[in-house]
Amino acid sequence: MQLKSNNKQKKNWNVILKQNNWTIEIISIILLILFFMPIIIVLINVGKADNNAIILDPLGFPQNYFTNFINNIERILTHRQIRYFSSFGYSLLITSLSLFAIGIFSSMAAWVLVRTKTKYSKMIFFLFLSGLVIPFQVVMLPLVRLLQDITNITGIQMKETVHGIVLTYIGFGAPLSVFMFYGFIKSVPLEIEEAAIIDGCNQRQVFFRVVFPILKPIFVTMLVLNGLWIWNDYLLPVLVLGVKNPVQTLPLSVGVLAGLYTKDWPLILTQVILAAIPLLILFLFVQKHIIKGMTSGAIK
Amino acid sequence: MKQNILFGNSRRAQSNRSFWLFLLPSLSAFVIFVIVPFFTGIYYSFTNWSGLNTGNESFVGFDNYRQILNDPQFGFSFLQTATYSLLAVVIINIVAFGLALLVTQNTLMKNVYRAGFFLPNLIGGLVLGYIWQFLYNRALIVWFEPSLIAVGETSILGLSIVVTWQYAGYIMMIYIAALQNVPQDLIEAATIDGANAWQRLKAITFPLVAQAFTIALFLTLVTSFKQYDTVVSLTQSGPAMQMPVWFANLYGINPITVQSTEVITYNIYETAFVRFQLGVGQAKAILFFILIGVIGGLQVYFTQKREVEM
C-alpha cells in the first residue's frame, strides 16, 4: 500500500519536473543567446565596408556582407605591420615550446621533490609555492632590466627573441605546474617505481618510462591552464618582445592594428575575430579536456 | 626505509646529483626570472631609479613610498580598483552561481549551455576589451546614451560587466562541480518535509558548497585586482573625471581631474614606462603585492570559518 502511494507521489513529481524543465530549457536558451549577443553583434559588423556604415546602423545586417568581410580579411592578411600569419606562427611556436618545456621540467622537479624527503626538498617546494602569490607586476620592472643585464654580460640576446620569452615562461609557469604535479605524484604508489628500480632501471628511466606516462591526466590540465594563459598573454610579450618588432605574437598584432586604425571598426573587429578564432576552433574539438582542465586546476 | 630504494643512502652521492639535475631546469628558470627580480625589486623600490639613470640610481630610503601616499591619483586608483573589484566579485559570483544552478537542472542541452557560457573565457583580455569598447561606444549606444564607459562615474561598472562576461562561465564550472557533490537524498528528504526551493537552497545547498564559495571569491577578487589587458583596450584608463570632494578632502586639496579606470596595475605601468619613474613604479608594485597578500589571506580566513565539514 505504502509503496503504491510512494510511486504515485514520484509520478506526480516527474510530471512537475517535466513541466519545469521546459521552462528552464527556454530560459537557458534565451540566456545563452543573450550571452552570445556581443559575438553576434561583432559578426554582423565585420561585414561592413567602412566606419560610416557602422555609425549609420550599428545593429543592422549589411548588404554585400561577404564581399566586405572578405575584403576586410584580405586587408589584414596582407598588412605589413600586422603580419597575421607570422604572428600566428610565432604565437604557436612560443606557446608550444613553452608548454613542452614547462611540462617536462616542472614534472621532473615535482617528482624529485616528492620522492626525496630532505630539508632541502621541503624548502625548495615552499620556494616554488611562494611564486603562486607573486603578481607579475611586482617583478616586471626588475625583470626587464635583468634581461638587458643578461644580454650585456653574456652577449645572449634575451629581449625580442623567442628563446628569451620561452625561458621567462618556464620560470613563471613553474610554481603552479610544480604544485599540481606535486599533488598528483604524491598519490602515485611508490611500489611501481620500486619495482622498476629492482628491474634495473636508473632514476632517469624510472621517471621517463614509468612515472611520466602515469602523469597524463594532470599533464592535460597543465597544458590547458598554461596554454590559455600564454596564448592570450599581452603584458609579458609587450615587455619582453616589445611592440612592432620582428617577433610578434597575435595579441601584440591586435594591439598594433588598433593603434594604427583607431576609427576603422570593421577592420579592428575582423582582426578580433581572426585572433580569437584559432582557440575557438580548438575548443570545439577538445572542449571536454579544456573545461575539465580549467576546473580541476582551480579546485586544486 | 622506502625512500632508500629510489634515492638511497647507499648511493647518496649519485642520487644527490640526480636530485639537482632533475630540479635544475625548472628551479633555475624560476629563481632567475621570478625570485631574483622579486628581491632586486624590493631594493629598487628604495632607489631613485628612473629611465635616464638606469645603473646609476642611488638609495633614497622611503622617499618613493612617501611620494606614493601623497599622490592623489594613486589613492584614487586604489579606490577605483577596490570599488571595481568589489562590484565585479559580487556580479560575477551571483551570475556564475545562478548559471550553475540553471545548468545542473535536468535539461536536454545542458552540455551545450555549459560550453556556451564558458566560451568567452577563451578570448584574451586584450581582444575582449576591443569587442566591448565597440559594443558600448558604437552598438549599444542606440539604446543607452551616453555609453557606460564614456562617463567617469559609471566606467567601473562598465568594466565589471566586461569582466563578468569573461569570467562568469569559468566560475560557473567551479560551482557546478560543487553542486554535483550535494547529496540528492538530502534535497529529497527536505522536499518531503515540505521545504520550498529557497529553503532547500539556504539550508542545504549553500552550506555544502561553502568551500567552492571560498575558492571562487578568492579567484575572482585576485583576478579583478590584477586586471590589466582589458583596461588597456577597453578604456585606456579613461575617461577623465573630477574626483569626489570627500576624496579630495582626505588629501587636503581641491578636487582635481583624475582617470576613472586607471586601476593600480595600469598606474604602475604608466609610472614606469610613460613617466619613467621606475623606482616609484616599483614601490607601487610592492604595495600592490602586500595588498593582494592581505586581502587574499583575510578573505580565505573569513570564508573558511563558515565551511561545513562533509
Side-chain angles (χ1 to χ4, degrees), chain A residues 13 21-22 24-25 27-29 31-32 35-36 38-39 41-42 45 51 54-55 58-59 105-106 108-109 111-118 120-121 124 127-128 130-131 133-135 137-147 149-150 158 167-168 170-172 174-175 178 190-191 193-194 197-198 203-204 206-208 225 228 232-235 238-239 251 254-255 258 263 265 268-269 272 275-276 279-280 283 287 290-291 294-295 297-299, chain B residues 2-3 5-8 11-12 14-15 17-23 25-27 29-38 40-41 44 49 54-57 95 99 102-103 105-127 130-135 138-143 164-165 168-170 173-174 177 191-192 200 215 219 226 228-229 232 265 268-269 272-273 278 281-282 285-286 288-289 292:
Chain A
W13 262 107
N21 275 353
W22 281 110
I24 291 168
E25 198 90 47
I27 293 172
S28 302
I29 292 172
L31 277 178
L32 194 67
F35 228 73
F36 271 70
I39 297 172
I41 294 175
V42 167
N45 282 289
N51 218 38
I54 285 183
I55 291 167
L59 300 171
F105 295 154
S106 301
M108 277 163 53
W111 181 61
V112 291
L113 287 177
V114 175
R115 295 301 187 221
T116 3
K117 294 274 182 289
T118 62
Y120 286 126
S121 61
I124 293 168
L127 186 70
F128 274 122
S130 70
V133 292
I134 300 178
Q137 275 78 12
V138 178
V139 290
M140 70 176 181
L141 307 181
L143 176 73
V144 173
R145 184 165 170 175
L146 181 82
L147 292 177
D149 286 343
I150 292 175
M158 294 296 284
L167 285 173
T168 23
I170 297 174
F172 281 96
V178 168
L190 191 65
E191 282 75 15
E193 291 160 49
E194 285 174 337
I197 289 272
I198 292 165
Q203 282 143 347
R204 214 165 310 151
V206 172
F207 179 74
F208 285 105
L225 283 177
L228 276 179
N232 285 327
D233 198 14
Y234 178 67
L235 186 53
V238 163
L239 296 173
V254 175
K263 292 280 177 288
W265 278 108
I268 296 176
L269 295 180
V272 158
L279 260 194
L280 297 184
F283 182 64
Q287 199 204 98
I290 291 185
I291 288 179
M294 293 280 299
T295 323
I299 287 164
Chain B
K2 272 188 168 179
Q3 305 300 328
I5 293 182
L6 265 180
F7 293 97
R11 288 187 286 168
R12 177 158 235 158
Q14 197 224 326
S15 72
R17 217 185 64 207
S18 344
F19 176 75
W20 291 110
L21 266 177
F22 269 79
L23 265 178
S26 192
L27 186 63
F30 173 64
V31 168
I32 293 172
F33 298 115
V34 182
I35 297 297
V36 169
F38 179 74
T40 52
Y44 291 143
W49 177 22
T54 299
N56 297 316
E57 64 276 339
V95 172
L99 291 180
L102 197 69
V103 298
Q105 306 295 318
N106 196 15
T107 47
L108 290 174
M109 301 195 292
K110 63 181 170 192
N111 287 327
V112 176
Y113 306 137
R114 287 179 191 186
F117 292 130
F118 179 80
L119 195 92
N121 204 259
L122 300 172
I123 305 173
L126 187 86
V127 170
Y130 287 119
I131 295 179
W132 279 86
Q133 194 197 338
F134 173 77
L135 283 176
R138 289 276 172 266
L140 296 180
I141 206 147
V142 176
W143 300 306
T164 302
W165 189 67
Y170 176 36
M173 290 295 175
I174 294 173
T191 316
I192 291 166
R200 290 196 303 261
I215 297 163
L219 266 175
K226 291 204 277 194
Y228 173 78
D229 304 4
V232 170
T265 52
I268 294 172
Y269 188 91
F273 295 113
L278 288 109
Q282 185 58 34
I286 300 284
F288 178 60
F289 167 66
I292 289 212

Side-chain angles (χ1 to χ4, degrees), chain A residues 220 223-224 228 278-294, chain B residues 115 118 122:
Chain A
V220 174
L223 285 181
V224 169
L228 276 179
L279 260 194
L280 297 184
I281 290 174
L282 186 71
F283 182 64
L284 285 182
F285 289 106
V286 290
Q287 199 204 98
K288 246 189 203 149
H289 289 295
I290 291 185
I291 288 179
K292 215 181 127 215
M294 293 280 299
Chain B
F118 179 80
L122 300 172

Side-chain angles (χ1 to χ4, degrees), chain A residues 84-95:
Chain A
Y84 180 80
F85 291 111
S86 136
S87 307
F88 178 79
Y90 275 122
S91 272
L92 199 63
L93 181 70
I94 290 169
T95 308

Side-chain angles (χ1 to χ4, degrees), chain A residues 12-69:
Chain A
N12 277 338
W13 262 107
N14 279 340
V15 171
I16 293 166
L17 269 178
K18 260 197 177 139
Q19 286 170 341
N20 267 344
N21 275 353
W22 281 110
T23 357
I24 291 168
E25 198 90 47
I26 289 162
I27 293 172
S28 302
I29 292 172
I30 292 171
L31 277 178
L32 194 67
I33 293 172
L34 214 68
F35 228 73
F36 271 70
M37 258 336 208
I39 297 172
I40 295 168
I41 294 175
V42 167
L43 282 175
I44 289 174
N45 282 289
V46 290
K48 291 182 181 167
D50 53 32
N51 218 38
N52 283 336
I54 285 183
I55 291 167
L56 280 175
D57 183 16
L59 300 171
F61 196 82
Q63 288 180 321
N64 305 326
Y65 178 85
F66 287 103
T67 327
N68 291 332
F69 188 24

